[in-house]
Amino acid sequence: MGAETYALIMLGTIVFAIVIGVHVAIALSAIPLIFGLIFMGERVLPMYPVQAFGMMSNYPFVAAPLFIYMGALMEHAGVAEKLYDAFYQLLGPVRGGLALATIGMAIIFGACTGIVGAGVILIGLLALPSMLSRGYNKTLATGCVMVGGGLGVMIPPSIMLILYGCAAGVSISQLYIASAIPGVLLGLMYMAYVYGWAVVDPSIGKPIQEDERIRGKELLNLVTKSLVPPVVLILAVMGSIFFGLVGPSEAGAMGVLGSLGLIVLAGRMNLEVLTKATTSTLKITTAVLMICLGGQLFTGVFISMGGDAALRKIILGFQFGQMGTIIIMLLIVWLLGFVMDWIALIFILVPIFSPLIATLGIDPLYFAILFCSTLEISNMTPPFAYSAFYLKTIAPEDVTMGVLYRGCIPFFFVNTAMVILLLAFPSLILWLPSLMR
Amino acid sequence: SQAISKAEAAEETWTWKGQAFCSRANRLYELGEDFGEMITKYSNGRVKIQFHQAGEMVPAGQVFDATGQGIIDFGQGCPCLAKSKAYAAQWFCDAPGSQSPIEKIIWYYNGGGKEILEDIFHKKYNSHPLFMIAITAEIWLYSNKKINTVDDLKGLKMRAAGVRGEVLTKFGTSVVVLPEGEMVPAMERKVIDAMEYSSINCTYPVGFCDVTKYLYMHPTKSTSPINIWAINLDKWNKLPADIKKSIEKASRDATLRSLAWGIEQDTLTLKKAVEEKKSEVLVLPSDVIKAFDEASADYYYEKAQKDKDLARILESWAKFKKDYGKYGKWMDYFNMTGDHIGLVKGDS
Amino acid sequence: MKFLDMIDGISIWSGKIVRWLAMVLSLVVLYEIIARYVFNAPTIWAFDLAMMISSTMFLMGAAFIQYQKGHIRVDVIFNMLPARVRSILDIIFFLLFFFPFIGVMIWWGTKIAYGAWIAEEISNTSQWGEPVYHWRFVIPLAFLFFGLQGVADFVRLIQSLFASPDKKNEIPVSGEAEKVA
Ligand code: NA
Ligand code: NA
C-alpha cells in the first residue's frame, strides 16, 4: 500500500477519534503528526509551526474574532427582546402565532449575528417560556427555537461562511451576498411549514389572548422601535459589503461598533457587560480557530501523503457527471454531519472537494452555499446536534434530549427540501452576487 | 563490483514534492507544471516532479522558507516573497524603472544576476534558485483618471504593492494594499482610482478591463516580475553534475519560452481590451516617466546604503548598462515591431 | 496542590489579559476604515497589525480555554461511558495525542522562531515591511502555556483515578465541555 492509502486510513482514524470524544482540535492536529512521521519522515515536524504561522498571517481569519465579538456584544444590546415583543404582537393572534413569531424574529436577528450558540440561547430564553406556558406543542416550540438560532449561520453575517471562505479561498463578501436569499428563504419556508401544521392541527399552538394584544399606533410604534436597531446594523454591515465599501473583516468591526452603540442606547453599557462579552469572544474564537489550525495541519499532511489525489480518483471514478458528483459530495457532508463537528467538517472536506469542483467546472460560489446549507443540517441531526445541546442548557427539566431531537425532525425535512430547491434553481444563489459584479 | 555501483548510480532517480505560491487557476501554476515536465524530460526521467497548488502542503507565503527547512523539496514563487529574510530579492521581481523583461534575462545570464540570486538564496533560504518564468512587462497603471503630470499622482487612490507602492508614496499617492479578489470590485465602486497588478493577459480574464478606462504603458522600463523554483540546497547539492546541468538547461528554456508565450498572449489580449472593452491605451507622459524613474533610483540607492545585497545588485546593473547599454539599442532597433504586425499591400 | 494552582493562575491570567485583544483588534480595524474614508490616508500597518492581534489572541487563549474545558469535543458517546473509563480514555488521549502535538509545537516552534530571529525576518506581504520574528515566538509560548495547563489537568486525572470515592468531587474531571460557536 502506498502512502496515499494510509492517508485515507488516517482520515478514517480522525473521524473515529472525534466521534469517540478526542478533542476535535487535538485529533485533527495530533493524528496527522503520527501518520506524517511514519509516512513523510521528519519533514512533518517543521511543517507544523510553519503551517501555524501561515494561518496566523492569513488575513481572512481576522474576520472570525470580529464577527464573534459582534455577536457576543449583540446578546447584551436588547435587540432580540424588542424584536420578539414586536413579532409577538404581530403574529401572536394567528394560529401557531408564537412559533411563527419566533422564526420571524430569528430571521431578522440572524442578520445581526453570526454564531449558532448565542442565537439558540437568546431566542430560547425569550420564546420558549411564553410558548410552553400557553401549552404549545413541545416539539414544535423547541424545534423553532433551534432552527431559529441556526438561521444565524445561514443568513449573513455568519461564522460558517467565514470559515468556509478561509478554507476554500472564496471571497467572504461574495459568500455573504450569495447566502442572503437562501438564508431568508429558508426562514420563510420554516414559517410556511409551521403555519401549515397549525392549520391542519390547531391544537399545536393557540393564538394569544385578546387582552394581551395592542393595536394601531401603539403597535406601529413598537414595530418601528424594534426594527430600527437591526436595520441600522444590517445596513452598516451588509450594506457596506454589498456596495463594496469594506471587506468582510472591516464589516465585522463596523458591526462591533454598531453593537456597542446599541448597548449604550439601551442603557446597559458597563464594565461587567464588556467583560462578559470579551470573555465569551475569547472562548469562542479560541475554540473555533484551534480547530481551524488543526484543519490546516491535517490538510498539509493529508495532501503531502497524496490522500487528496487518491480520494479524487475514487470520486471521479464513479463518473457521475457534474450534478451527480455534487450530490455525492453533499451526501458525504450530510452523513458525516450526524456524528461530527461542523467546523472540522469544513476543514476536512473543503480541501478535498475544491479541486473536484475546479475539475468539473462547478461555480465555487454556488457549491459553497450548497455545502453550507447542507452543513447547517448537521446542527440538528442527532446524536451530535449543536442546536439541541445549546437549548438543553436553558430548557426546563421536562424538555429531554429526546424531545429536542424530535423537535428537529420536521425541520430537517424542510432544510433538505431547501437544498433540493437550491440544486434546482442555482439563480437563488447566484443572482444577487451577479448584481455586485 | 565497481561497475555495478556505477550502473546503480546511473539508475538513481529522485522524486521532488513541491508547491507553488499560487492556485491551479493561475497561469503561473500551469507554467510551473510545464517546467516540471521539462525537468523530467531533460533529465531522461530521472527527476520526477509532484507539484501542488498554494496552501496544499504549506501556506502560500512560506514556500521558500518551507523549502529551506526541507518540508517541501521545491517551492515556486516570486523572489519578492523572499523579502522576509532577503530584502534585496524584491529587486529581481518588481522594480520599476530598472529593466525590461528581455534586459532582465540578458542581465541574469550574462551580467551577474544569476550569481547574485544564487548567493542570496543559498545563504538566506538554504535553497538553489532556478529562474523559470519571465513575466511580460506589466501595464504600468490601470486607471480611471488621466495622468498628465506628476501632480496627478498626488492624492490618487491606488492599489499598489511592493517597491512600486513604496516609490509611489513619495508622490503623495494614497496607496492601498488590496488582495487580488477585492481589486476589481473596489475599482468598480470607486474605492480606488487606479491599480497595478500584473500583465494584461493575467488581469483581463478576472475583469480588470471591465472596470478600467485607461491602460498606461511605460514605453521602455515597465516592471516585470519573474518566478523561480527554489530547490532545497541539500537535495540540489546531492545531484550529479550531469543532472544539474540538464535542469539548468530546462530552467533557461522554460524562461525564454514563458516570455515568448506571454508576449503572444499580451498582444492577443490587448486587441480584445481595446476592441471589446473600449480600453484606451496611453503612454505615460515623458516628464512623469522621468520623475518616476529618478525617484525610483533615489529610493533604491537610499535603501542600498543599508543592504549589501541590494548595493551589489545596483552595482551589477550599472556595470551591465555600461557594458551592454550601447548594444541594446541596436537589438531593440532590429527587433522593433512598431505597428507593423504582418504586411499588407501598400506598406512601405 | 500548589504547583497545579499556579498553572491554573497562569492560564486564568493569560486569558484575562488576551481577551481584551478583541477590543484592540476592533479599534485597529475601525481606525483603518476612518483613515481611509474620512482622511483618504490609509495606514500601511493596520492590515498586518490586525493579523498579529487576532492570531495572538486565539493562540494565547488556548491555555485559558483548556482550563475552562472549552475546547470542543463530540462527547455524545464519550458521556455514555462510566466515569472511570472516561478518565482512563482521557489519560490515553493526553499521552497519545495531546503531549506529542504540544511538544512538537514548542520544540520546532522555537527552532523556527529562532531561525527567523537570526535572519531578522520581516513581513513579505505588507508595505510596512515590519519585523515578524517576534510574532513567530507566539507559537512556542502559547503552546507552552497550553501544555502546562494540560499537565495540570493530566495530573488531576491521575489523582482522581486513585482518589477515594468521597474525595472525588473535589477534583475537577475533564469532559464537561462547554459548547460554543
Ligand atoms: Na447571521
Ligand atoms: Na449532527
Side-chain angles (χ1 to χ4, degrees):
Chain A
M1 282 197 291
E4 64 277 1
T5 315
Y6 286 102
L8 299 184
I9 293 173
M10 172 176 89
L11 179 59
T13 313
I14 291 173
V15 172
F16 176 74
I18 291 176
V19 171
I20 62 163
V22 180
H23 286 92
V24 178
I26 298 297
L28 281 169
S29 312
I31 295 172
L33 181 64
I34 300 167
F35 276 80
L37 266 175
I38 299 171
F39 298 102
M40 290 165 62
E42 272 181 31
R43 63 167 74 187
V44 75
L45 300 173
M47 184 191 241
Y48 266 54
V50 166
Q51 283 282 9
F53 190 69
M55 182 185 159
M56 292 161 75
S57 45
N58 188 2
Y59 191 69
F61 277 112
V62 170
L66 288 170
F67 277 102
I68 291 170
Y69 198 26
M70 173 190 170
L73 287 166
M74 187 61 66
E75 284 181 54
H76 303 279
V79 173
E81 288 92 324
K82 282 211 198 89
L83 270 176
Y84 187 66
D85 286 347
F87 274 95
Y88 183 91
Q89 288 296 336
L90 276 175
L91 297 172
V94 186
R95 282 178 186 174
L98 293 187
L100 292 174
T102 307
I103 298 170
M105 74 76 74
I107 293 177
I108 296 183
F109 190 63
C112 301
T113 179
I115 41 187
V116 195
V120 173
I121 290 174
L122 212 53
I123 296 168
L125 286 173
L126 290 170
L128 206 53
S130 62
M131 281 192 278
L132 293 181
S133 68
R134 276 181 188 75
Y136 266 61
N137 180 312
K138 253 189 238 160
T139 47
L140 171 70
T142 54
C144 11
V145 169
M146 288 183 287
V147 296
L151 282 175
V153 291
M154 261 319 285
I155 297 172
S158 150
I159 183 75
M160 185 187 279
L161 297 171
I162 291 175
L163 298 182
Y164 188 93
C166 288
V170 178
S171 151
I172 295 168
S173 302
Q174 293 245 323
L175 287 174
Y176 277 6
I177 305 293
S179 64
I181 291 178
V184 173
L185 187 65
L186 180 63
L188 295 177
M189 282 167 69
Y190 288 150
M191 287 175 84
Y193 162 75
V194 169
Y195 187 68
W197 188 1
V199 168
V200 174
D201 178 8
S203 74
I204 60 159
K206 290 184 198 70
I208 57 171
Q209 301 293 312
E210 200 51 34
D211 57 336
E212 276 186 71
R213 291 183 65 178
I214 56 169
R215 282 195 168 80
K217 229 178 168 176
E218 213 183 334
L219 179 62
L220 191 71
N221 216 342
L222 176 68
V223 172
T224 323
K225 261 193 182 159
S226 74
L227 280 181
V228 168
V231 167
V232 168
L233 206 71
I234 293 166
L235 281 180
V237 176
M238 291 309 298
S240 55
I241 289 180
F242 187 77
F243 292 107
L245 295 175
V246 298
S249 33
E250 290 170 333
M254 301 276 283
V256 170
L257 186 67
S259 309
L260 284 171
L262 292 178
I263 296 177
V264 172
L265 286 181
R268 299 183 184 185
M269 177 60 81
N270 58 48
L271 191 64
E272 198 200 327
V273 163
L274 277 183
T275 310
K276 255 191 185 165
T278 39
T279 309
S280 74
T281 304
L282 179 68
K283 280 164 97 169
I284 300 172
T285 306
T286 302
V288 170
L289 291 188
M290 287 304 285
I291 294 177
C292 300
L293 172 62
Q296 307 270 317
L297 297 171
F298 156 75
T299 306
V301 174
F302 185 70
I303 293 179
S304 294
M305 287 172 67
D308 62 325
L311 211 54
R312 265 204 303 282
K313 220 167 113 190
I314 294 172
I315 297 179
L316 286 176
F318 289 118
Q319 301 211 314
F320 286 126
Q322 208 189 54
M323 188 49 89
T325 311
I326 292 181
I327 292 171
I328 293 294
M329 289 190 282
L330 295 181
L331 272 176
I332 295 173
V333 178
W334 182 80
L335 278 175
L336 286 176
F338 278 83
V339 290
M340 283 274 285
D341 172 79
W342 63 265
I343 307 167
L345 278 182
I346 290 182
F347 283 86
I348 289 176
L349 294 178
V350 166
I352 295 169
F353 289 168
S354 285
L356 276 172
I357 297 163
T359 310
L360 294 169
I362 301 164
D363 187 328
L365 195 57
Y366 172 59
F367 185 76
I369 303 301
L370 283 173
F371 185 102
C372 290
S373 306
T374 312
L375 198 56
E376 219 274 311
I377 303 177
S378 74
N379 276 320
M380 46 197 211
T381 47
F384 191 71
Y386 266 125
S387 296
F389 296 157
Y390 293 125
L391 192 54
K392 188 79 188 78
T393 59
I394 55 150
E397 281 288 303
D398 59 332
V399 176
T400 59
M401 216 52 194
V403 169
L404 293 179
Y405 283 155
R406 269 203 305 285
C408 291
I409 292 169
F411 292 101
F412 163 83
F413 288 106
V414 179
N415 267 46
T416 308
M418 171 74 191
V419 175
I420 294 169
L421 206 61
L422 293 178
L423 274 169
F425 302 102
S427 57
L428 287 173
I429 297 170
L430 296 171
W431 176 70
L432 209 51
S434 73
L435 295 185
M436 225 183 126
R437 277 172 187 160
Chain B
S1 77
Q2 209 180 352
I4 295 168
S5 72
K6 252 189 187 168
E8 267 175 358
E11 289 304 305
E12 194 179 351
T13 59
W14 298 267
T15 300
W16 288 350
K17 278 187 192 193
Q19 188 192 293
F21 76 120
C22 57
S23 74
R24 266 189 199 90
N26 196 314
R27 215 8 236 200
L28 298 174
Y29 181 86
E30 219 175 299
L31 289 169
E33 274 183 325
D34 290 351
F35 181 44
E37 282 167 18
M38 286 168 81
I39 289 180
T40 306
K41 200 174 156 205
Y42 283 34
S43 66
N44 281 326
R46 291 178 62 192
V47 180
K48 293 186 178 61
I49 302 294
Q50 287 180 13
F51 193 40
H52 290 271
Q53 69 171 347
E56 287 192 334
M57 293 194 291
V58 291
Q62 307 288 314
V63 283
F64 295 146
D65 225 3
T67 302
Q69 305 275 359
I71 302 170
I72 49 180
D73 301 320
F74 68 91
Q76 175 182 331
C78 284
C80 55
L81 283 179
K83 102 178 206 197
S84 310
K85 290 180 180 173
Y87 183 71
Q90 298 176 86
W91 271 264
F92 279 84
C93 202
D94 178 352
S98 61
Q99 290 167 322
S100 69
I102 194 73
E103 284 173 3
K104 191 174 272 174
I105 294 177
I106 305 169
W107 169 67
Y108 189 81
Y109 287 112
N110 308 283
K114 187 167 184 278
E115 289 71 22
I116 299 176
L117 190 67
E118 286 178 356
D119 213 33
I120 288 176
F121 268 79
H122 288 184
K123 264 192 327 212
K124 304 276 175 75
Y125 281 93
N126 186 39
S127 59
H128 182 76
L130 297 166
F131 190 3
M132 42 73 75
I133 304 175
I135 300 169
T136 50
E138 293 186 356
I139 299 289
W140 201 85
L141 197 65
Y142 299 83
S143 182
N144 283 328
K145 288 207 172 149
K146 280 223 171 165
I147 310 295
N148 295 319
T149 66
V150 175
D151 288 341
D152 292 329
L153 291 174
K154 197 173 175 185
L156 191 73
K157 276 184 279 182
M158 176 172 172
R159 184 272 176 198
V163 180
R164 184 162 22 171
E166 285 170 36
V167 178
L168 274 164
T169 53
K170 308 260 178 210
F171 290 93
T173 305
S174 159
V175 173
V176 197
V177 183
L178 289 174
E180 183 190 328
E182 286 173 32
M183 287 163 64
V184 169
M187 192 78 168
E188 195 171 24
R189 311 279 169 196
K190 298 187 172 44
V191 176
I192 51 173
D193 310 314
M195 53 195 180
E196 59 83 26
Y197 188 58
S198 180
S199 317
I200 191 160
N201 77 69
C202 300
T203 58
Y204 186 87
V206 289
F208 272 49
C209 295
D210 297 319
V211 296
T212 307
K213 180 99 185 88
Y214 308 116
L215 306 178
Y216 272 103
M217 307 280 186
H218 184 314
T220 52
K221 298 272 164 73
S222 261
T223 175
S224 71
I226 71 169
N227 262 214
I228 59 165
W229 272 22
I231 317 282
N232 179 279
L233 194 57
D234 308 325
K235 298 240 163 178
W236 176 258
N237 286 339
K238 277 184 200 144
L239 289 178
D242 60 322
I243 297 282
K244 276 187 191 162
K245 209 173 157 192
S246 61
I247 292 177
E248 295 275 9
K249 186 167 178 335
S251 143
R252 200 180 157 117
D253 287 358
T255 305
L256 294 169
R257 196 170 106 170
S258 69
L259 182 64
W261 177 88
I263 294 173
E264 176 208 12
Q265 292 303 312
D266 277 355
T267 310
L268 304 181
T269 313
L270 198 59
K271 180 175 189 292
K272 273 203 265 183
V274 171
E275 289 176 3
E276 289 170 26
K277 307 290 178 190
K278 308 294 169 217
S279 301
E280 260 184 66
V281 184
L282 297 170
V283 173
L284 216 53
S286 55
D287 61 328
V288 176
I289 292 173
K290 193 155 180 284
F292 193 81
D293 286 357
E294 271 171 10
S296 301
D298 288 349
Y299 182 74
Y300 301 168
Y301 279 93
E302 179 199 318
K303 288 285 171 189
Q305 291 185 338
K306 278 189 218 148
D307 193 296
K308 275 192 196 129
D309 287 329
L310 180 54
R312 211 177 137 198
I313 291 170
L314 297 181
E315 209 173 284
S316 172
W317 280 355
K319 184 170 183 305
F320 176 65
K321 188 182 167 75
K322 196 165 149 259
D323 291 350
Y324 291 96
K326 55 188 162 190
Y327 307 111
K329 70 177 176 197
W330 293 112
M331 284 302 120
D332 264 359
Y333 185 76
F334 192 52
N335 286 307
M336 198 159 55
T337 297
D339 54 359
H340 288 78
I341 286 191
L343 172 76
V344 293
K345 206 173 175 215
D347 272 4
S348 51
Chain C
M1 264 187 6
K2 216 173 176 188
F3 177 62
L4 300 186
D5 293 344
M6 203 176 76
I7 292 175
D8 286 352
I10 293 173
S11 301
I12 293 166
W13 274 101
S14 67
K16 279 190 174 176
I17 295 165
V18 295
R19 65 184 171 189
W20 292 104
L21 288 178
M23 184 71 91
V24 181
L25 174 66
S26 311
L27 290 176
V28 167
V29 179
L30 285 169
Y31 183 91
E32 167 71 12
I33 298 175
I34 295 168
R36 189 187 313 156
Y37 288 106
V38 184
F39 300 105
N40 194 18
T43 68
I44 53 168
W45 45 262
F47 201 78
D48 282 44
L49 195 60
M51 289 192 284
M52 290 181 183
I53 296 168
S54 72
S55 58
T56 303
M57 177 178 146
F58 91 81
L59 283 173
M60 293 304 294
F64 179 63
I65 306 307
Q66 173 71 19
Y67 168 76
Q68 295 230 332
K69 311 262 179 282
H71 286 289
I72 295 168
R73 71 194 305 182
V74 178
D75 49 11
V76 181
I77 295 174
F78 189 82
N79 284 346
M80 290 183 215
L81 304 170
R84 205 176 161 78
V85 178
R86 287 207 304 256
S87 299
I88 292 170
L89 272 180
D90 262 334
I91 288 171
I92 294 170
F93 295 162
F94 264 118
L95 292 173
L96 199 58
F97 302 133
F98 185 89
F99 290 126
F101 165 56
I102 302 286
V104 167
M105 291 309 265
I106 297 173
W107 178 245
W108 277 90
T110 310
K111 262 182 106 158
I112 284 185
Y114 180 74
W117 185 28
I118 297 297
E120 298 182 19
E121 186 186 26
I122 60 170
S123 161
N124 66 2
T125 51
S126 77
Q127 290 272 291
W128 191 15
E130 77 286 4
V132 292
Y133 52 90
H134 339 84
W135 192 19
R136 293 233 189 215
F137 279 102
V138 171
I139 298 173
L141 189 68
F143 279 90
L144 178 68
F145 283 15
F146 188 12
L148 275 176
Q149 187 58 48
V151 169
D153 292 354
F154 182 73
V155 171
R156 286 184 184 124
L157 268 173
I158 303 272
Q159 285 174 339
S160 82
L161 211 56
F162 294 104
S164 55
D166 54 310
K167 283 218 169 160
K168 264 211 171 125
N169 292 337
E170 292 165 26
I171 302 159
V173 178
S174 172
E176 297 300 308
E178 282 181 52
K179 306 300 180 310
V180 289

